[in-house]
Amino acid sequence: MGRTSDARNKILEAARTLIEQRGYSALGVAEICAVAGVPKGSFYHFFASKQALALTVIDEHWAAQRQQWSELLGSGRPPLERLRDLFTATEDFQRAGRRQAGLVVGCLFGNLAAELSNQVPEIRDRLQEIFEAQIDMIEKVVVEAKDAGQAGPAVDTRDAARSIVAQIEGRVLLAKLLDDPGQLGTLWQNSVGLLQTPVDALPARG
């Protein structure tokens, strides 16, 4: 059982790394197995197709990311500080990825959405579900901020949450294009403007 699980995990890790670096369409099962260091026949023991593998990679990546987002956005800190924590963690993740891979790899979900949204309906639908879940999580924090007077009274919380998620994805994409994680440094200030946060309601740095 341990060896079987180990082979599956190696395939998943190899696929995630290759998808992040080169995209989905250019990959073949043989290459994934070669990078994973497992026989090609092992692949079909665990996954019915490359698409099934991609969906599993997406789900496992989201499970880890969702846990991190839940911890950051569900902490006992004031709402705007939680948002800032999320932005900091997002930039830190891209910086760590650049140190490991030698370049900014971007967002797995955003990369796949740009590449496959018009080609593979099953992957597109799953990514839509994930982005909606992200919007839900951020909207809860925006609602808290609005109730606490940290967002303007005219702010539509759903639209604001959707714009924040779009901003994160856009900034990550720009960071990938320019190979510069520093592009994420504007997330906080842009979101404060988006939320129409009064100056006296801004949290202190640190």
Side-chain angles (χ1 to χ4, degrees), residues 93-115:
F93 180 83
Q94 294 300 324
R95 289 189 183 280
R98 190 178 190 279
R99 286 193 297 270
Q100 182 177 5
L103 73 168
V104 175
V105 296
C107 170
L108 177 72
F109 305 138
N111 295 347
L112 287 172
E115 181 182 2

Side-chain angles (χ1 to χ4, degrees), residues 29-145:
V29 170
E31 181 182 9
I32 293 170
C33 291
V35 171
V38 302
K40 184 177 178 181
S42 299
F43 181 93
Y44 294 103
H45 177 73
F46 302 111
F47 306 102
S49 63
K50 190 176 78 166
Q51 178 178 309
L53 169 64
L55 286 167
T56 304
V57 169
I58 289 168
D59 285 343
E60 295 210 354
H61 188 72
W62 172 231
Q65 188 185 85
R66 183 171 196 144
Q67 180 177 351
Q68 182 195 40
W69 279 42
S70 295
E71 291 172 356
L72 292 169
L73 297 178
S75 72
R77 287 160 60 78
L80 288 187
E81 292 185 27
R82 281 178 262 157
L83 277 182
R84 187 166 61 189
D85 290 343
L86 176 64
F87 300 152
T88 299
T90 301
E91 183 174 349
D92 288 346
F93 180 83
Q94 294 300 324
R95 289 189 183 280
R98 190 178 190 279
R99 286 193 297 270
Q100 182 177 5
L103 73 168
V104 175
V105 296
C107 170
L108 177 72
F109 305 138
N111 295 347
L112 287 172
E115 181 182 2
L116 300 176
S117 60
N118 294 325
Q119 300 177 38
V120 187
E122 293 83 359
I123 291 178
R124 178 194 62 213
D125 292 346
R126 184 67 186 113
L127 292 172
Q128 287 177 351
E129 292 171 358
I130 290 170
F131 284 126
E132 284 299 318
Q134 291 179 345
I135 293 166
D136 289 342
M137 296 173 78
I138 287 182
E139 185 182 15
K140 290 179 182 178
V141 180
V142 174
V143 168
E144 288 186 52

Side-chain angles (χ1 to χ4, degrees), residues 26 49 111 114-115 119 132 154 158 164 168 197 200-202:
S49 63
N111 295 347
E115 181 182 2
Q119 300 177 38
E132 284 299 318
R158 189 66 179 178
I164 289 172
I168 292 172
T197 301
D200 59 2
L202 287 171

